[in-house]
Amino acid sequence: MNFELNEDRRMLADALGRFLSEQYPPEVRNRVAYGDQGYSPDVYGKLAEIGAIGALLPEEQGGFGGEGADIALVFETLGSHLVAGPVLGALLVGRALVLAGSDAQQQRLAGLIDGSVLAAFAHDEPANHYELERVATTARRDGDGWVLHGAKAVVPFGDQAQLLLVSARTAGDVGDAQGISLFLVPGDAPGVKTRGYGRIDGGHAAEVSFENVRLDADALLGGEGEGFALLERIVGYGLLALSAESLGAMERAKADTLEYLRTRRQFGVPIGSFQALQHRMADLLLEVEQARSAVINAAAAIDEGDRIAREKALSAAKYSVGKIGTLVAEETIQLHGGIGMTWELPLAHYAKRLVMIDHQLGDMDHHLARWMALRD
Amino acid sequence: MDLQFTPEEEAFRAEVRAFLQEHLPRDLAAKVKAGQRLTRFDQENWHAILNKKGWLAYHWPVQWGGTAWTPIQKFIFDDESARAGGPRLVPFGISMLGPVLIRYGSEEQKKHWLPRILDGSDWWCQGYSEPGAGSDLASLKTTAVRQGDHYVVNGQKTWTTQGQHANMMFCLARTDKAAKAQSGISFLLIDMNQPGVEVRPIRTLDGDAEVNEVFLTDVRVPLENLVGEENKGWTYAKYLLTYERTGIAGVGFSVASLEKLKLIASRVQRNGKPLAEDPQFATRMAQVEIDLENMKTTNLRVLAAVQGGGVPGAESSMLKIRGTVIRQELLSLIRRAMGPYALPYIEEAQHAGWGEPPVGPPEAATAAAAYFNYRKLSIFGGSNEIQKNIISKTILGL
């Protein structure tokens, strides 16, 4: 067994961590994350330059990594600096292109890797409540191409993306796994309407609707009606990424809280000397280590050929960080007392992100039920 | 043993319900139920409506405009009001300062200040907490030095809820620096509209700014604004805090939240069924409903024990802990029911009168913000950890 990072990964982690420490302190983060665009194009460009996006994709397709450990490493670092931006979209759309893209479609990867193209994964719908199969958006054949119709919910950076990956039903009923197809849709295609807004944890999202959007034949990614398996694989990468991001954020929240317990004095002593608080921090430490193990399991399983083993590890990780992330958020606010409630304290924003990660790509209830349903 | 309310109590409940039906403004109730932010006018308006009926300061003695209601009647009123969408009464004048003045204030102070609390002439805020003090209230550093017929007050207060609206602050200040921590503190009434008082908002994590820092620089307080005796303020402060904690179980608000949760869970679908029929979500709802029922009875037991008068002691700490944990769990479930729609945050949608269609279910506009904002419940009014210390010492004798 070896849980050490290899040399390349350590160098990437160092470079990324150093850049974010210097260029992305909490005040900068909050200004851009809660600002008009919800992210900094400049910082995003630099992340791409350092290689944070390339590291998410395999070498054959122009990346330089793409293994589970690479993805976990990048997102843990992004989480520990609370980076708001479209990196998750680049990962999901990029992996979709790698898994199912034709040669022509894979040409788009270059723009994702160098940060010049902003991509968004548009799958959730107003009524799907995390269920992967519940796709009501439709695409029907029209000559050589397609006509897309429907609505997608809370698409991260969906109002700014140039490239949308959209799930749509080409056959079957809402709720069927069969009959789902995936499409590459230009953000500015006629008939694409967006309603953008800020998110409570920073960053942007949008309601995206498609009113008879005409697509060329090559917009279809993968086989017609066979999109579910692909969808599951893509979301799997998202589960790993969000779990690792959560881990990074909880480590930071833990460290900040420990520092506070050591320095904040009440009743004449540091509050960390109270046994009641010591035990709570000890519990937190145990839980965060469990989350780290869950992320390691998921990173190891992401390329596993056996679907059940892979998906169970991914759902286990997302369930774990959903539960533990919320606990860490609530406990670290509580341990900080009133100051933990303030906008001024970086921890408050970590706490919001930790809780909101549970609202992306399936919450702890969803993944616990899914884990139980996944059988050999 | 009889767990039923008496016929008199049921008649009282009907009276309260009829009053609310007729006098609680519909738009105000709708705002409260939607979790939207209330304006100063909303709060003043509701106080005025209750005052006209004589029900505003319902736990004061009749002599000063109270109602002579029993603790159970007060409970019934709170319960009915919260269910109907009545706003939480701003507690600072009515529930905190009022009882202190009635018990410890001079006749002049009572005659002057109590009617002004009732008719809304003054909006009070609480000057207890200080930076670096928090639940260790006795470590406060604000000083009041006697100069002729005035105290001169210097220091800084924090977490001053609705201090931006207040024209008066009741305040703890150190009048004897040599004394032990809990001695040497005095209870002063400070006019906020005078030189040396500066209020600065503190923005909380949900984006709102309802708490403030208050800076006091050479603020002059006439001697007649000292409540009770000099250096005895700690006694009055503790008395006030017991009052603060009695209502803090917030049973009515939890009942209202539970109703809201059930409504949402009947509408939001998961796997083609309402969330209310989803085994996991239904389990969580059932657990918190049972906890709430239990706490309601615990609350009534405590109230029944003090029917003869007085206020509960350390039992209020139990109510504070359970009540806040339950309410936080309810708000957490409402947030969770929103699914991905917990993420959008649109500032304008927090207020009534936003003309746009909602993003996601109508409750989504405030669900996550309310969840984050109400993390404060287990922190303020003496954190839940402090309450546990009180229980350990007072009830368990440890």
Side-chain angles (χ1 to χ4, degrees):
Chain A
M1 286 267 156
N2 178 9
F3 293 105
E4 298 293 311
L5 292 178
N6 68 29
E7 187 61 24
D8 287 350
R9 285 181 187 139
R10 194 170 316 130
M11 280 170 60
L12 174 63
D14 288 349
L16 199 52
R18 203 165 41 241
F19 166 71
L20 291 169
S21 298
E22 285 166 7
Q23 304 295 320
Y24 200 73
E27 60 274 17
V28 171
R29 185 269 171 190
N30 284 351
R31 194 177 68 235
V32 299
Y34 299 108
D36 290 341
Q37 287 176 281
Y39 81 111
S40 158
D42 185 41
V43 169
Y44 188 66
K46 291 276 174 35
L47 289 178
E49 210 172 283
I50 292 170
I53 302 169
L56 308 174
L57 298 163
E59 280 176 45
E60 305 84 83
Q61 280 86 9
F64 41 88
E67 289 179 24
D70 298 306
I71 295 165
L73 174 82
V74 168
F75 275 89
E76 185 182 339
T77 310
L78 296 178
S80 69
H81 293 272
L82 209 58
V83 174
V87 186
L88 184 66
L91 168 69
L92 298 184
V93 178
R95 293 309 300 213
L97 291 169
V98 167
L99 285 164
S102 63
D103 286 348
Q105 286 169 333
Q106 290 197 357
Q107 299 296 315
R108 294 163 179 269
L109 282 165
L112 298 187
I113 291 170
D114 69 19
S116 61
V117 172
L118 207 150
F121 176 60
H123 168 67
D124 274 324
E125 297 189 359
N128 77 343
H129 211 85
Y130 309 129
E131 301 146 77
L132 225 44
E133 312 85 328
R134 195 162 290 275
V135 175
T137 296
T138 59
R140 59 177 169 79
R141 280 200 176 276
D142 179 57
D144 283 349
W146 303 85
V147 175
L148 186 67
H149 201 81
K152 295 292 175 180
V154 200
V155 179
F157 298 96
D159 54 343
Q160 294 165 70
Q162 290 106 343
L163 178 62
L164 298 163
L165 178 66
V166 181
S167 58
R169 187 161 289 290
T170 45
D173 294 324
V174 175
D176 290 349
Q178 288 300 313
I180 296 170
S181 304
L182 293 175
F183 294 92
L184 295 165
V185 181
D188 59 359
V192 177
K193 291 210 168 69
T194 59
R195 180 182 185 191
Y197 41 75
R199 296 184 352 186
I200 193 158
D201 57 345
H204 261 221
E207 303 299 284
V208 182
S209 64
F210 307 98
E211 288 171 26
N212 298 316
V213 175
R214 296 189 54 81
L215 302 173
D216 293 339
D218 67 353
L220 176 69
L221 186 76
E224 179 185 344
E226 294 165 7
F228 182 78
L230 181 56
L231 201 54
E232 188 176 82
R233 289 300 309 275
I234 304 165
V235 167
Y237 284 100
L239 298 179
L240 171 62
L242 288 168
S243 299
E245 185 191 346
S246 180
L247 177 65
M250 55 177 93
E251 287 284 10
R252 174 69 191 277
K254 187 188 81 180
D256 282 8
T257 305
L258 266 178
E259 180 62 21
Y260 189 72
L261 293 183
R262 291 193 186 110
T263 49
R264 170 78 160 102
R265 294 175 74 84
Q266 241 183 4
F267 304 101
V269 291
I271 59 173
S273 65
F274 299 129
Q275 198 174 40
L277 304 193
Q278 290 167 356
H279 288 189
R280 287 167 73 162
M281 271 316 284
D283 282 340
L284 214 61
L285 174 82
L286 290 176
E287 294 287 343
V288 173
E289 291 306 323
Q290 292 287 90
R292 178 169 293 283
S293 296
V295 170
I296 290 170
N297 288 343
I302 190 87
D303 292 317
E304 165 86 48
D306 177 49
R307 171 182 175 250
I308 301 291
R310 180 185 70 228
E311 297 301 324
K312 282 189 96 158
L314 292 167
S315 269
K318 189 62 169 48
Y319 160 75
S320 300
V321 302
K323 185 168 74 87
I324 298 167
T326 305
L327 176 86
V328 169
E330 293 178 353
E331 284 287 271
T332 53
I333 289 176
Q334 183 73 23
L335 290 166
H336 271 84
I339 197 84
M341 290 295 301
T342 62
W343 189 270
E344 186 191 3
L345 191 75
L347 172 85
H349 303 275
Y350 280 85
K352 283 191 282 188
R353 181 71 194 121
L354 281 169
V355 173
M356 286 301 131
I357 283 175
D358 198 38
H359 287 267
Q360 288 182 267
L361 304 181
D363 67 5
M364 61 177 117
D365 283 356
H366 172 86
H367 284 289
L368 182 60
R370 182 171 184 262
W371 188 92
M372 288 157 68
L374 283 162
R375 287 187 218 287
D376 299 297
Chain B
M1 197 135 100
D2 184 5
L3 289 183
Q4 302 299 313
F5 289 102
T6 65
E8 292 76 24
E9 285 161 353
E10 287 299 346
F12 175 73
R13 184 185 291 280
E15 185 190 353
V16 170
R17 198 172 284 177
F19 169 78
L20 291 166
Q21 177 71 24
E22 194 176 340
H23 295 285
L24 174 61
R26 297 284 152 88
D27 57 337
L28 180 56
K31 262 175 135 172
V32 170
K33 287 186 172 175
Q36 288 167 335
R37 291 176 187 162
L38 302 184
T39 62
R40 175 182 179 150
F41 172 79
D42 289 330
Q43 293 171 318
E44 287 178 329
N45 185 32
W46 183 230
H47 279 213
I49 291 168
L50 285 175
N51 187 44
K52 198 172 161 210
K53 175 77 175 168
W55 284 1
L56 179 59
Y58 55 72
H59 51 263
W60 292 7
V62 176
Q63 178 195 357
W64 296 110
T67 55
W69 286 348
T70 66
I72 303 289
Q73 283 178 305
K74 292 170 195 166
F75 172 85
I76 290 171
F77 175 81
D78 287 341
D79 196 39
E80 286 297 326
S81 175
R83 280 173 198 243
R88 175 174 182 252
L89 299 182
V90 183
F92 307 108
I94 301 162
S95 306
M96 297 181 175
L97 179 63
V100 169
L101 287 178
I102 288 165
R103 174 133 178 206
Y104 297 106
S106 67
E107 281 308 302
E108 293 72 31
Q109 284 172 337
K110 289 180 207 181
K111 279 187 191 139
H112 181 70
W113 297 111
L114 293 175
R116 295 172 62 88
I117 291 174
L118 292 178
D119 69 14
S121 301
D122 297 317
W123 185 302
W124 287 89
C125 65
Q126 182 184 39
Y128 270 28
S129 292
E130 293 188 5
S135 291
D136 181 11
L137 195 54
S139 72
L140 63 89
K141 292 192 172 59
T142 294
T143 56
V145 178
R146 213 167 162 148
Q147 280 182 11
D149 57 355
H150 280 80
Y151 290 101
V152 177
V153 181
N154 280 284
Q156 184 187 346
K157 296 291 175 179
T158 193
W159 313 128
T160 314
T161 304
Q162 300 194 348
Q164 74 273 30
H165 298 323
N167 65 307
M168 290 297 297
M169 175 167 76
F170 55 88
C171 174
L172 293 178
R174 202 164 281 291
T175 33
D176 181 357
K177 281 195 237 180
K180 267 194 356 187
Q182 286 153 0
S183 321
I185 292 171
S186 296
F187 193 105
L188 303 175
L189 310 179
I190 296 182
D191 182 351
M192 304 275 284
N193 296 324
Q194 63 171 310
V197 180
E198 192 199 344
V199 179
R200 285 188 210 161
I202 299 173
R203 194 175 181 203
T204 45
L205 82 171
D206 58 318
D208 202 1
E210 64 177 5
V211 290
N212 301 270
E213 292 180 285
V214 180
F215 296 84
L216 304 164
T217 310
D218 292 331
V219 172
R220 289 166 66 82
V221 179
L223 291 185
E224 64 259 31
N225 282 15
L226 169 75
V227 175
E229 292 176 49
E230 191 174 272
N231 296 332
K232 295 277 172 63
W234 186 250
T235 309
Y236 320 141
K238 275 200 310 187
Y239 178 75
L240 179 151
L241 282 176
T242 324
Y243 262 98
E244 184 182 3
R245 281 169 201 160
T246 43
I248 219 156
V251 172
F253 293 106
S254 285
V255 169
S257 291
L258 179 66
E259 281 179 10
K260 181 172 173 179
L261 172 65
K262 284 180 168 175
L263 186 69
I264 292 168
S266 71
R267 286 181 185 154
V268 175
Q269 302 259 314
R270 182 173 168 202
N271 287 317
K273 287 186 302 188
L275 263 186
E277 292 171 30
D278 176 83
Q280 285 166 300
F281 202 83
T283 304
R284 289 177 192 271
M285 292 208 321
Q287 285 168 336
V288 71
E289 184 165 359
I290 291 168
D291 285 345
L292 175 56
E293 277 304 310
N294 293 344
M295 190 203 40
K296 235 180 354 186
T297 302
T298 310
N299 195 1
L300 289 169
R301 284 166 55 210
V302 171
L303 293 177
V306 297
Q307 272 283 26
V311 291
E315 291 78 10
S316 64
S317 294
M318 287 196 297
L319 295 176
K320 200 253 168 173
I321 294 168
R322 291 310 290 171
T324 55
V325 168
I326 287 169
R327 208 159 155 213
Q328 287 178 334
E329 173 66 4
L330 286 162
L331 291 163
S332 175
L333 288 173
I334 291 172
R335 163 180 65 73
R336 292 162 61 101
M338 294 301 116
Y341 280 118
L343 286 156
Y345 179 79
I346 300 167
E347 170 65 31
E348 299 79 10
Q350 311 285 309
H351 305 279
W354 187 53
E356 309 283 323
V359 172
E363 300 85 3
T366 57
Y371 160 81
F372 285 114
N373 183 278
Y374 282 97
R375 301 311 310 165
K376 71 189 175 191
L377 291 178
S378 49
I379 295 171
F380 68 21
S383 70
N384 284 14
E385 289 74 28
I386 292 292
Q387 307 301 332
K388 287 180 191 175
N389 287 347
I390 292 172
I391 290 171
S392 307
K393 278 201 194 92
T394 318
I395 303 180
L396 300 174
L398 293 173

